[in-house]
Amino acid sequence: MNIRLRDGGVDFRTPHQGTYERCWQENLCQTCGNPLGHLSVLFGGPNQVASRAFDEPPLCPPCAVYASQACPMVAGRQERYADRQRVSEGRRGHVCPDAGCDCGGFVAADPNAADASGDPAHPWYALYVQTGGWQLTGNRVRVACSDRGCLHDRTLINGCMLGVEPRKVMLVSSPGEGRVWRRLDAVEVAAIRSAEEVEG
């Protein structure tokens, strides 16, 4: 679901807004693009577990395992978030490869979201939830057409608020420890929520 650049590269830190929204609206896996079954996986850190607000689109369970190996952040192989410019923000991302696409002109779906650039890595969790057991969230932003540059007000989906209890919560990885894939009990999940509420 990431932005594919005209030169054939991919910006793995920036989602393609149209694809991102389709994953949420049509209950598609963000990795394989197939329809989700009755059970989906939401990835997030302690903040997401505590707030129940997620910005990463859902995955099917097999793709969640794959992503936990392929993504260096989720796999716990990186100590910090990248602090360099996103590829799509530089020279390579100035022109969309498809004049009629719905990428939203590479505009952030949530301009108020905190930038994690350079921040220390956090543990990653996988919440197994009933597909569609969430309420989509969004932001009203002004975006330019990718072909003509004219401006339009649009509501861009920026994630979801979980409305059901997860079937299970797994600790996917921990900084310095790497992949763990350990099921958490209710006490551990409650401790994450309490800790984030105190810090928040």
Side-chain angles (χ1 to χ4, degrees):
M1 65 154 196
N2 298 99
I3 288 178
R4 298 180 185 279
L5 304 170
R6 175 167 286 190
D7 63 11
V10 176
D11 182 348
F12 288 106
R13 293 170 60 205
T14 307
H16 180 282
Q17 186 63 30
T19 306
Y20 176 93
E21 292 188 339
R22 275 192 297 279
C23 288
W24 281 118
Q25 292 171 320
E26 300 174 23
N27 292 331
L28 304 175
C29 173
Q30 67 157 290
T31 299
C32 68
N34 290 321
L36 296 162
H38 73 283
L39 202 60
S40 303
V41 180
L42 296 174
F43 274 155
N47 289 338
Q48 286 79 29
V49 174
S51 68
R52 301 168 65 90
F54 293 83
D55 56 1
E56 288 285 334
L59 300 101
C60 63
C63 283
V65 174
Y66 165 76
S68 76
Q69 298 166 332
C71 175
M73 282 305 299
V74 177
R77 294 193 300 267
Q78 286 187 209
E79 294 181 7
R80 305 185 90 67
Y81 280 89
D83 60 358
R84 63 188 176 280
Q85 184 182 48
R86 294 172 190 260
V87 177
S88 57
E89 294 171 337
R91 177 188 52 78
R92 294 172 62 194
H94 282 182
V95 182
C96 179
D98 179 2
C101 90
D102 53 1
C103 67
F106 301 158
V107 172
D110 189 353
N112 301 317
D115 183 9
S117 296
D119 286 354
H122 57 70
W124 282 86
Y125 301 93
L127 280 71
Y128 286 71
V129 300
Q130 173 190 333
T131 296
W134 49 71
Q135 178 67 45
L136 298 182
T137 57
N139 271 306
R140 194 81 177 151
V141 297
R142 199 156 180 79
V143 298
C145 290
S146 58
D147 53 351
R148 288 183 292 224
C150 50
L151 296 173
H152 302 275
D153 288 327
R154 277 187 62 199
T155 299
L156 299 183
I157 293 171
N158 65 0
C160 81
M161 189 64 101
L162 192 57
V164 298
E165 283 300 317
R167 303 275 177 91
K168 65 179 175 179
V169 178
M170 306 288 291
L171 172 61
V172 176
S173 67
S174 186
E177 194 175 354
R179 288 180 76 237
V180 178
W181 274 107
R182 179 177 65 80
R183 186 171 184 161
L184 302 182
D185 61 32
V187 173
E188 291 173 300
V189 174
I192 295 167
R193 290 178 176 157
S194 295
E196 291 304 310
E197 286 171 9
V198 170
E199 287 184 22

